[in-house]
Amino acid sequence: MRDFAIKLVKAFIQIINAPMLIPFMVSTNKEVIIVDVRRWAKIVHLNDNFDWLNLLYLLYKYPEFRNLYYYRIKKGNFIGFIFMHIIKFFYKECPSLFLYCDNIGSGLFIQHGFSTIVSAEGIGDNCWINQQVTIGYSSKNERPTIGNNVTINAGAKVIGKVIINDNVTVGANAVVVKDVPSNCVVVGIPAYIIKRDGVKVKELLV
């Protein structure tokens, strides 16, 4: 009886959220959305083997994923863009998460979207952003570029025309105003390197 009730609830969730699939069905950006779905599904431990079921669940459960989904649809074709705006009226985004980027690589995971602003020239693949993060301008035309496999923890700020290279972790509440080399962990205000290539160090950013 309990299993039947769970299946019934899942079916109900799928039905009421099914309209959110319409922009996906007409979009030219399906491939990157599926990559996003698979990464999120792995992180939040979804068991279903069907991408579209996981997509429906993520759209229902995580408003942060909805923001990313709408960003992907917007970057696709015009008809998907039109349907997106209709759907957004009924299925709201996370209101305190803002994605203002020319390009966001596949597999971006946003753990919490509270008070988070992401305004970068570009973001690489498989990045992870936590809550209350600010990535943005120091002047009218200067904003960051984020590489692949970068994690930016809660409260961190990455400001200005800086490059965060691949495989970097930015610690909670760190303030990054200079380029960060690959394979580093940075913390502090202003940020400095505490680990490079897996070895503990203490180095200033230059």
Side-chain angles (χ1 to χ4, degrees):
M1 186 67 180
R2 182 175 178 273
D3 289 343
F4 176 75
I6 290 171
K7 289 180 180 179
L8 195 63
V9 169
K10 283 186 175 180
F12 178 71
I13 289 170
Q14 290 165 11
I15 291 168
I16 64 173
N17 288 283
M20 278 192 282
L21 288 180
I22 296 171
F24 174 77
M25 292 167 64
V26 300
S27 177
T28 55
N29 223 7
K30 292 184 181 71
E31 289 184 11
V32 69
I33 293 171
I34 291 300
V35 174
D36 291 337
V37 168
R38 289 173 180 172
R39 182 152 195 251
W40 280 65
K42 183 178 180 181
I43 291 170
V44 302
H45 307 295
L46 298 184
N47 296 319
D48 287 320
N49 294 320
F50 297 101
D51 290 327
W52 69 271
L53 286 176
N54 286 338
L55 173 57
L56 270 176
Y57 180 81
L58 291 167
L59 287 169
Y60 155 71
K61 182 71 174 179
Y62 298 99
E64 298 88 353
F65 182 83
R66 241 175 270 160
N67 288 54
L68 180 61
Y69 175 70
Y70 291 146
Y71 173 90
R72 301 298 191 199
I73 297 296
K74 184 171 65 175
K75 291 291 184 178
N77 56 333
F78 183 70
I79 188 167
F81 179 79
I82 294 298
F83 276 113
M84 178 202 73
H85 277 286
I86 297 170
I87 294 299
K88 279 175 71 174
F89 184 79
F90 300 99
Y91 302 91
K92 305 295 185 183
E93 300 171 284
C94 175
S96 62
L97 170 62
F98 303 93
L99 302 175
Y100 302 127
C101 299
D102 293 336
N103 181 63
I104 295 176
S106 60
L108 174 64
F109 181 73
I110 304 167
Q111 188 168 31
H112 302 290
F114 175 71
S115 192
T116 297
I117 299 172
V118 182
S119 183
E121 291 294 332
I123 296 178
D125 296 332
N126 298 318
C127 291
W128 179 309
I129 296 173
N130 281 73
Q131 71 272 21
Q132 294 183 301
V133 165
T134 298
I135 301 171
Y137 290 90
S138 61
S139 65
K140 184 177 180 180
N141 298 311
E142 295 188 343
R143 59 179 179 166
T145 299
I146 311 296
N148 300 313
N149 307 307
V150 172
T151 297
I152 303 178
N153 285 298
K157 294 171 177 59
V158 182
I159 304 296
K161 195 174 183 179
V162 299
I163 298 173
I164 308 295
N165 284 282
D166 297 345
N167 310 312
V168 165
T169 297
V170 178
N173 297 314
V175 177
V176 180
V177 292
K178 294 183 179 179
D179 294 352
V180 180
S182 298
N183 308 311
C184 288
V185 178
V186 297
V187 300
I189 305 172
Y192 59 93
I193 301 170
I194 61 166
K195 188 178 286 187
R196 183 195 286 264
D197 297 318
V199 178
K200 290 183 179 180
V201 297
K202 188 174 182 180
E203 301 175 9
L204 298 178
L205 296 174
V206 294

